[in-house]
């Protein structure tokens, strides 16, 4: 009932160039968001915006994800390491992205784009929210392939063993043959961990996508779709953190269980509830299917 993780984090090597699975997962995230966004534009879910407008929004959104995610990771989780080596901020291919920072980055990008379009900010956010969970799922799969952000030991004879990154397994000093022999004999079962990355891929990716895509298929009051996104992510992230190892160098913040991820998720839960409250008396943006949407002709 245990799985020995031996996935190479490098998907392809072209001479000195190494393409990591983590980077490919980000590419899939952007492609999926773009494709889903096209479906919603063609359905008229953001009246007055054509494919060219979507391209601009996607570009700003990608910048927001990368810059916000990296800066958020540095500020929330690794500020000390950044002070020791400031150049680490550019090493995105090594991992180290914060969802909460990325969310702030996307919101800043959406605000910039929305002001140019002279639209309501939350009409844009309600449009964007269903596009995000698929990318979150891909990102967590990338974390799993890279053997990072794993969970606590299951202590139940099942789970995933991460021999390339688990310090307790590395201390054994086993070569490849010895590792396989110890695994086959069940001697490594005590190092089996919760695959918290896959829990998050399922909840934050698949479940959130299904719920939000279904919920947003029908026109909803302004703020409602964004509220659903914030509430679901905040609750799911808060719950998974109970079986996830706290971030190195930070540990538990309080009560012997509160993590930075949980602390950052509490405002999202509160925001989701507040947005639902606002939505009760807010207008409903009705779809306006643009003529010539396939050709990218902007409609008034």
């Amino acid at each position: 009932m245990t799985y020995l993780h031996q996935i190479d984090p490098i998907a392809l090597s072209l001479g000195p160039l190494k393409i990591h699975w983590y980077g490919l997962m980000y590419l899939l995230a952007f492609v999926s968001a773009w494709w889903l966004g096209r479906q919603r534009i063609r359905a008229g879910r953001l009246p007055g915006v054509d494919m060219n407008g979507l391209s601009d929004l996607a570009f700003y959104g990608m910048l927001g994800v990368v810059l916000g995610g990296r800066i958020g990771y540095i500020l929330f989780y690794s500020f000390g390491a950044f002070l020791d080596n400031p150049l680490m901020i550019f090493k995105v291919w090594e991992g180290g992205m914060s969802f909460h920072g990325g969310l702030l980055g996307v919101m800043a990008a959406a605000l910039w784009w929305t002001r140019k379009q002279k639209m309501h900010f939350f009409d844009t956010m309600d449009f964007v929210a269903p596009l995000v969970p698929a990318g979150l799922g891909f990102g967590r799969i990338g974390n799993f392939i890279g053997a990072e952000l794993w969970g606590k030991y299951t202590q139940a004879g099942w789970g995933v063993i991460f021999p390339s990154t688990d310090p307790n397994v590395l201390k054994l000093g086993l070569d490849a043959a010895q590792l396989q022999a110890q695994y086959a004999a069940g001697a490594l079962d005590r190092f089996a961990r919760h695959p918290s990355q896959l829990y998050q891929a399922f909840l934050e990716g698949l479940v959130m996508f299904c719920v939000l895509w279904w919920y947003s298929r029908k026109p909803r009051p302004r703020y409602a779709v964004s509220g659903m996104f914030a509430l679901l992510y905040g609750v799911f992230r808060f719950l998974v953190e109970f079986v996830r190892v706290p971030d190195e160098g930070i540990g538990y913040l309080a009560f012997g269980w509160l993590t930075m991820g949980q602390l950052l998720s509490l405002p999202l839960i509160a925001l989701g509830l507040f947005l639902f409250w606002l939505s009760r008396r807010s207008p409903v943006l009705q779809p306006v299917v643009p003529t010539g949407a396939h050709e990218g002709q902007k409609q008034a």
Side-chain angles (χ1 to χ4, degrees):
M1 295 294 291
T2 61
Y3 170 72
L4 183 65
H5 184 286
Q6 292 183 301
I7 305 174
D8 190 341
I10 299 174
L12 181 65
S13 296
L14 300 173
L17 178 63
K18 299 184 185 298
I19 301 176
H20 290 244
W21 283 109
Y22 190 77
L24 291 180
M25 291 299 109
Y26 263 78
L27 178 61
L28 285 175
F30 293 136
V31 169
S32 65
W34 167 253
W35 186 83
L36 293 169
R38 283 173 59 91
Q39 310 313 306
R40 286 175 64 76
I41 288 293
R42 289 174 173 173
R45 303 310 299 272
L46 199 57
V49 177
D50 63 2
M51 296 302 175
N52 294 324
L54 175 64
S55 297
D56 290 342
L57 177 59
F59 175 74
Y60 292 136
M62 285 189 289
L63 287 179
V65 167
V66 175
L67 295 178
R70 189 59 176 171
I71 294 172
Y73 173 77
I74 296 297
L75 293 177
F76 299 147
Y77 298 104
S78 195
F79 191 67
F82 168 72
L83 293 179
D84 293 336
N85 179 23
L87 292 179
M88 70 170 288
I89 194 172
F90 300 109
K91 298 180 180 180
V92 179
W93 58 88
E94 294 182 355
M97 300 287 281
S98 162
F99 163 80
H100 299 89
L103 176 61
L104 292 175
V106 168
M107 292 178 69
L111 179 61
W112 174 267
W113 181 88
T114 300
R115 293 185 65 180
K116 291 178 61 178
Q117 298 290 327
K118 298 180 180 178
M119 298 170 57
H120 194 286
F121 173 66
F122 272 98
D123 287 342
T124 302
M125 293 307 298
D126 288 344
F127 172 83
V128 169
L131 315 183
V132 176
L136 291 178
F138 287 128
R140 294 309 179 189
I141 292 173
N143 293 145
F144 178 77
I145 293 175
E148 60 182 4
L149 306 183
W150 18 253
K152 301 175 182 177
Y153 293 124
T154 63
Q155 299 179 336
W158 64 273
V160 179
I161 302 163
F162 295 94
S164 63
T165 55
D166 188 327
N168 292 319
V169 179
L170 291 172
K171 287 178 183 177
L172 300 178
L174 304 175
D175 59 29
Q178 292 172 327
L179 187 67
Q180 288 291 343
Q182 290 288 302
Y183 171 65
L188 301 181
D189 287 358
R190 67 185 187 278
F191 300 116
R193 294 180 176 273
H194 286 279
S196 55
Q197 317 98 320
L198 298 184
Y199 299 167
Q200 290 184 262
F202 175 72
L203 293 173
E204 300 166 10
L206 181 60
V207 174
M208 275 186 60
F209 171 74
C210 291
V211 172
L212 281 170
W213 194 258
W214 166 80
Y215 186 69
S216 64
R217 286 176 65 87
K218 176 182 176 181
R220 302 288 180 179
R222 181 179 291 156
Y223 306 109
V225 178
S226 297
M228 179 69 79
F229 177 92
L231 182 61
L232 286 178
Y233 183 87
V235 170
F236 289 159
R237 178 65 182 270
F238 193 92
L239 292 176
V240 173
E241 287 284 323
F242 282 111
V243 296
R244 179 172 153 175
V245 173
D247 297 276
E248 185 177 358
I250 298 179
Y252 294 112
L253 302 179
F255 316 119
W257 57 265
L258 182 67
T259 67
M260 178 63 78
Q262 289 174 320
L263 182 64
L264 294 174
S265 295
L266 289 174
L268 276 180
I269 296 173
L271 175 63
L273 294 173
F274 177 66
L275 292 177
F276 271 123
W277 180 80
L278 284 180
S279 73
R280 297 181 308 157
R281 299 181 181 178
S282 298
V284 177
L285 187 67
Q286 295 297 334
V288 179
V289 179
T291 303
H294 295 273
E295 289 76 32
Q297 300 298 318
K298 186 168 182 175
Q299 305 297 313

